[in-house]
Amino acid sequence: MKAPLELVSVGNIVADFPVGPLSGLPGWGTLVSVPQRIGPAIGGNGAIFAVAAARLGMSCTLAGRVGRDFLGDWLIGRLQEENVDTRLVKRGAKGTSSTIALVHEKGERAFLHYLGSSASLKAGDLRTLPRCRWLHFSSMFLLPGLSSSAIGRVLEKARKAGARTSLDVAWDAKGRWDLDGCLEHADYFLANLDEASAITGEKGVRDMARKLAGMGARNVILKMGAAGAFVSGEDCGGFEASPFKVEPVDATGAGDVFNAALVWALSRGMELRKAALLANAAGALKVTAVGGTAGAPTAAELLDFIRKRKK
């Protein structure tokens, strides 16, 4: 029997075109000059997570879809340059998913997104996923070809085979927030505050975490941006992980870089409290650069950043 893969990331793969930093949006019929070159960058929650995990030293295999076009070629080439295993990336007739990311000078973002090939990822693509030690699902609500029950079955199968599992959702533009059959098969559930509030109908982080636990979540990690993270777990109760203060440039991908650092730390045997602190630090480093993977640290860079902040 083949040895299991270390980490499999399932999610969307997108060609991002970050534009900024901008002080505001241009009016129709006007032209605004921007200080940085406009060009493609690795985007999409699944791909950003995979790159961030690989930079931290994990062997990460990415599963998703890109088109049979030049953007698909470019993404696969760049992912391989980042040491991401692309054997499970399938090519389809629809064009590669792409996003124009407008970045405000204070770090906030607005997106223009073409769903493209991400919509073509189906349950059949995931039935033969190889065994792994960790399975991470990104952006389930940005993968309309996959139902929550199908995702739940993939997570359940992975756990029965001995994998640890984690699930992040992304924003549900349709407002359904259907997690039926998923939470009970995810060892770690991750969401930002807006997503968690939409899912639970609650406003306070402890109330959100309590309700998610009642829905089946074992360990809940709520990402609070500049305020850090709130963690509620089976063995650790509830606590806030302190943030690291930086000057934000672009928050694109910060949540996925956070997720990757959390998985990296937990897979190395760290307890959840320390893992959440490392994840906060990784997210802080990410927001200091424009682009989804720019600023995502190596393990040495991450640990050095934390050491310097402790002095």
Side-chain angles (χ1 to χ4, degrees), residues 146-166:
L146 291 173
S147 66
S148 61
S149 58
I151 292 171
R153 287 192 294 272
V154 175
L155 292 168
E156 180 182 20
K157 181 180 177 181
R159 290 191 82 242
K160 285 182 176 178
R164 296 164 84 180
T165 58
S166 48

mmCIF file of all heavy atoms in Angstrom, residues 146-166:
data_model
loop_
_atom_site.group_PDB
_atom_site.id
_atom_site.type_symbol
_atom_site.label_atom_id
_atom_site.label_comp_id
_atom_site.label_asym_id
_atom_site.label_seq_id
_atom_site.Cartn_x
_atom_site.Cartn_y
_atom_site.Cartn_z
ATOM 1 N N LEU A 146 -20.309 21.192 -6.106
ATOM 2 C CA LEU A 146 -20.206 20.271 -4.972
ATOM 3 C C LEU A 146 -21.271 20.618 -3.930
ATOM 4 O O LEU A 146 -21.318 21.740 -3.429
ATOM 5 C CB LEU A 146 -18.825 20.363 -4.334
ATOM 6 C CG LEU A 146 -17.640 19.834 -5.145
ATOM 7 C CD1 LEU A 146 -16.335 20.155 -4.427
ATOM 8 C CD2 LEU A 146 -17.765 18.334 -5.369
ATOM 9 N N SER A 147 -22.108 19.663 -3.594
ATOM 10 C CA SER A 147 -23.093 19.875 -2.536
ATOM 11 C C SER A 147 -22.437 19.692 -1.178
ATOM 12 O O SER A 147 -21.364 19.083 -1.057
ATOM 13 C CB SER A 147 -24.248 18.878 -2.689
ATOM 14 O OG SER A 147 -23.779 17.550 -2.470
ATOM 15 N N SER A 148 -23.080 20.200 -0.150
ATOM 16 C CA SER A 148 -22.537 20.020 1.198
ATOM 17 C C SER A 148 -22.481 18.546 1.565
ATOM 18 O O SER A 148 -21.535 18.096 2.232
ATOM 19 C CB SER A 148 -23.371 20.799 2.220
ATOM 20 O OG SER A 148 -24.707 20.337 2.237
ATOM 21 N N SER A 149 -23.467 17.771 1.128
ATOM 22 C CA SER A 149 -23.454 16.341 1.446
ATOM 23 C C SER A 149 -22.305 15.634 0.752
ATOM 24 O O SER A 149 -21.683 14.721 1.322
ATOM 25 C CB SER A 149 -24.789 15.697 1.061
ATOM 26 O OG SER A 149 -25.057 15.874 -0.320
ATOM 27 N N ALA A 150 -21.966 16.048 -0.475
ATOM 28 C CA ALA A 150 -20.836 15.448 -1.188
ATOM 29 C C ALA A 150 -19.531 15.775 -0.478
ATOM 30 O O ALA A 150 -18.654 14.902 -0.323
ATOM 31 C CB ALA A 150 -20.795 15.943 -2.630
ATOM 32 N N ILE A 151 -19.382 17.024 -0.038
ATOM 33 C CA ILE A 151 -18.182 17.415 0.707
ATOM 34 C C ILE A 151 -18.106 16.644 2.018
ATOM 35 O O ILE A 151 -17.045 16.159 2.424
ATOM 36 C CB ILE A 151 -18.177 18.935 0.937
ATOM 37 C CG1 ILE A 151 -17.984 19.669 -0.392
ATOM 38 C CG2 ILE A 151 -17.083 19.332 1.939
ATOM 39 C CD1 ILE A 151 -18.171 21.164 -0.313
ATOM 40 N N GLY A 152 -19.251 16.501 2.686
ATOM 41 C CA GLY A 152 -19.292 15.738 3.924
ATOM 42 C C GLY A 152 -18.844 14.306 3.731
ATOM 43 O O GLY A 152 -18.112 13.749 4.573
ATOM 44 N N ARG A 153 -19.249 13.694 2.624
ATOM 45 C CA ARG A 153 -18.849 12.299 2.356
ATOM 46 C C ARG A 153 -17.341 12.197 2.140
ATOM 47 O O ARG A 153 -16.710 11.233 2.591
ATOM 48 C CB ARG A 153 -19.600 11.754 1.146
ATOM 49 C CG ARG A 153 -21.064 11.454 1.410
ATOM 50 C CD ARG A 153 -21.682 10.659 0.283
ATOM 51 N NE ARG A 153 -21.745 11.389 -0.968
ATOM 52 C CZ ARG A 153 -22.762 12.175 -1.323
ATOM 53 N NH1 ARG A 153 -23.788 12.331 -0.518
ATOM 54 N NH2 ARG A 153 -22.755 12.801 -2.493
ATOM 55 N N VAL A 154 -16.752 13.185 1.453
ATOM 56 C CA VAL A 154 -15.304 13.170 1.226
ATOM 57 C C VAL A 154 -14.562 13.315 2.553
ATOM 58 O O VAL A 154 -13.584 12.604 2.824
ATOM 59 C CB VAL A 154 -14.898 14.287 0.247
ATOM 60 C CG1 VAL A 154 -13.381 14.358 0.109
ATOM 61 C CG2 VAL A 154 -15.534 14.054 -1.125
ATOM 62 N N LEU A 155 -15.031 14.244 3.402
ATOM 63 C CA LEU A 155 -14.412 14.423 4.711
ATOM 64 C C LEU A 155 -14.552 13.166 5.570
ATOM 65 O O LEU A 155 -13.602 12.739 6.240
ATOM 66 C CB LEU A 155 -15.045 15.618 5.428
ATOM 67 C CG LEU A 155 -14.769 17.005 4.827
ATOM 68 C CD1 LEU A 155 -15.690 18.046 5.467
ATOM 69 C CD2 LEU A 155 -13.316 17.412 5.004
ATOM 70 N N GLU A 156 -15.737 12.571 5.540
ATOM 71 C CA GLU A 156 -15.982 11.358 6.336
ATOM 72 C C GLU A 156 -15.067 10.218 5.897
ATOM 73 O O GLU A 156 -14.468 9.525 6.732
ATOM 74 C CB GLU A 156 -17.443 10.942 6.203
ATOM 75 C CG GLU A 156 -17.792 9.694 7.004
ATOM 76 C CD GLU A 156 -19.238 9.264 6.833
ATOM 77 O OE1 GLU A 156 -19.868 9.682 5.835
ATOM 78 O OE2 GLU A 156 -19.735 8.508 7.682
ATOM 79 N N LYS A 157 -14.946 10.038 4.590
ATOM 80 C CA LYS A 157 -14.089 8.976 4.064
ATOM 81 C C LYS A 157 -12.636 9.200 4.482
ATOM 82 O O LYS A 157 -11.936 8.252 4.871
ATOM 83 C CB LYS A 157 -14.200 8.926 2.537
ATOM 84 C CG LYS A 157 -13.365 7.837 1.884
ATOM 85 C CD LYS A 157 -13.536 7.856 0.366
ATOM 86 C CE LYS A 157 -12.652 6.810 -0.307
ATOM 87 N NZ LYS A 157 -12.800 6.842 -1.780
ATOM 88 N N ALA A 158 -12.183 10.452 4.417
ATOM 89 C CA ALA A 158 -10.804 10.759 4.793
ATOM 90 C C ALA A 158 -10.570 10.467 6.274
ATOM 91 O O ALA A 158 -9.546 9.893 6.650
ATOM 92 C CB ALA A 158 -10.492 12.218 4.481
ATOM 93 N N ARG A 159 -11.507 10.861 7.124
ATOM 94 C CA ARG A 159 -11.348 10.618 8.560
ATOM 95 C C ARG A 159 -11.334 9.125 8.867
ATOM 96 O O ARG A 159 -10.547 8.649 9.702
ATOM 97 C CB ARG A 159 -12.474 11.298 9.356
ATOM 98 C CG ARG A 159 -12.381 12.817 9.378
ATOM 99 C CD ARG A 159 -13.342 13.429 10.386
ATOM 100 N NE ARG A 159 -12.773 13.388 11.735
ATOM 101 C CZ ARG A 159 -13.312 12.722 12.739
ATOM 102 N NH1 ARG A 159 -14.409 11.999 12.565
ATOM 103 N NH2 ARG A 159 -12.752 12.750 13.926
ATOM 104 N N LYS A 160 -12.184 8.365 8.200
ATOM 105 C CA LYS A 160 -12.211 6.920 8.428
ATOM 106 C C LYS A 160 -10.906 6.263 8.000
ATOM 107 O O LYS A 160 -10.531 5.221 8.538
ATOM 108 C CB LYS A 160 -13.391 6.298 7.679
ATOM 109 C CG LYS A 160 -14.744 6.570 8.328
ATOM 110 C CD LYS A 160 -15.879 5.897 7.570
ATOM 111 C CE LYS A 160 -17.209 6.100 8.296
ATOM 112 N NZ LYS A 160 -18.346 5.489 7.553
ATOM 113 N N ALA A 161 -10.230 6.885 7.025
ATOM 114 C CA ALA A 161 -8.941 6.361 6.559
ATOM 115 C C ALA A 161 -7.775 6.857 7.419
ATOM 116 O O ALA A 161 -6.624 6.556 7.124
ATOM 117 C CB ALA A 161 -8.721 6.740 5.102
ATOM 118 N N GLY A 162 -8.081 7.649 8.449
ATOM 119 C CA GLY A 162 -7.050 8.077 9.379
ATOM 120 C C GLY A 162 -6.575 9.508 9.241
ATOM 121 O O GLY A 162 -5.672 9.933 9.964
ATOM 122 N N ALA A 163 -7.171 10.284 8.327
ATOM 123 C CA ALA A 163 -6.740 11.666 8.122
ATOM 124 C C ALA A 163 -7.381 12.598 9.140
ATOM 125 O O ALA A 163 -8.474 12.342 9.654
ATOM 126 C CB ALA A 163 -7.091 12.130 6.712
ATOM 127 N N ARG A 164 -6.688 13.683 9.428
ATOM 128 C CA ARG A 164 -7.313 14.802 10.114
ATOM 129 C C ARG A 164 -7.906 15.707 9.041
ATOM 130 O O ARG A 164 -7.396 15.773 7.914
ATOM 131 C CB ARG A 164 -6.289 15.543 10.965
ATOM 132 C CG ARG A 164 -5.727 14.684 12.076
ATOM 133 C CD ARG A 164 -4.465 15.275 12.660
ATOM 134 N NE ARG A 164 -4.740 16.276 13.674
ATOM 135 C CZ ARG A 164 -3.793 16.928 14.333
ATOM 136 N NH1 ARG A 164 -2.507 16.707 14.053
ATOM 137 N NH2 ARG A 164 -4.099 17.817 15.256
ATOM 138 N N THR A 165 -8.981 16.421 9.373
ATOM 139 C CA THR A 165 -9.699 17.193 8.364
ATOM 140 C C THR A 165 -9.988 18.600 8.857
ATOM 141 O O THR A 165 -10.178 18.841 10.047
ATOM 142 C CB THR A 165 -11.035 16.513 8.005
ATOM 143 O OG1 THR A 165 -11.830 16.368 9.193
ATOM 144 C CG2 THR A 165 -10.801 15.136 7.377
ATOM 145 N N SER A 166 -10.012 19.533 7.907
ATOM 146 C CA SER A 166 -10.366 20.916 8.214
ATOM 147 C C SER A 166 -11.205 21.475 7.076
ATOM 148 O O SER A 166 -11.073 21.058 5.920
ATOM 149 C CB SER A 166 -9.117 21.771 8.451
ATOM 150 O OG SER A 166 -8.158 21.585 7.430
#
